[in-house]
């Protein structure tokens, strides 16, 4: 036969509330811990805040072509197209 006294129920409720509080605290602490982990290991590209290549020279005589492509899943009833398909831009 089980002993379902209020004393035992209060004990279980206290343990469950403590467990929930600890789980919330652990989840809250994961964000800064993940940032520290990424800084140490170099994962996720968070090792440096500077650019990989820096240059003071910009070649203004060059132009680049930017093409805009729009695609949707074939079964969707949308008509989705860019207003301009291609544009040339000076750097």
């Amino acid at each position: 036969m089980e002993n379902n006294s209020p004393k035992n129920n209060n004990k279980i409720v206290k343990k469950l509330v403590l467990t929930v509080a600890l789980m919330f605290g652990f989840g809250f602490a994961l964000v800064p811990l993940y940032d520290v982990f990424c800084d140490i290991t170099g994962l996720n590209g968070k090792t440096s805040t500077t650019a990989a290549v820096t240059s003071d020279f910009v070649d203004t005589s060059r132009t680049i072509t930017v093409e805009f492509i729009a695609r949707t899943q074939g079964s969707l009833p949308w008509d989705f197209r860019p207003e301009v398909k291609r544009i040339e831009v000076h750097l």
Side-chain angles (χ1 to χ4, degrees):
M1 204 161 169
E2 291 184 35
N3 187 0
N4 287 332
S5 69
K7 186 177 179 181
N8 285 340
N9 288 342
N10 288 340
K11 205 176 196 183
I12 291 173
V13 168
K14 286 179 185 178
K15 285 182 181 180
L16 289 174
V17 168
L18 180 64
T19 302
V20 169
L22 289 174
M23 290 172 65
F24 177 78
F26 181 71
F28 192 77
L30 278 178
V31 174
L33 289 174
Y34 180 73
D35 288 338
V36 170
F37 177 77
C38 288
D39 288 340
I40 292 171
T41 61
L43 296 175
N44 202 20
K46 292 187 176 185
T47 58
S48 178
T49 58
T50 59
V53 177
T54 59
S55 175
D56 294 333
F57 174 72
V58 176
D59 186 6
T60 57
S61 65
R62 266 183 24 178
T63 60
I64 59 171
T65 303
V66 179
E67 293 183 0
F68 299 99
I69 302 171
R71 296 178 190 214
T72 59
Q73 186 180 6
S75 63
L76 294 174
W78 296 350
D79 186 26
F80 186 73
R81 294 191 178 117
E83 290 183 13
V84 178
K85 290 188 178 191
R86 179 180 294 168
I87 186 170
E88 290 191 8
V89 181
H90 288 280
L91 297 175

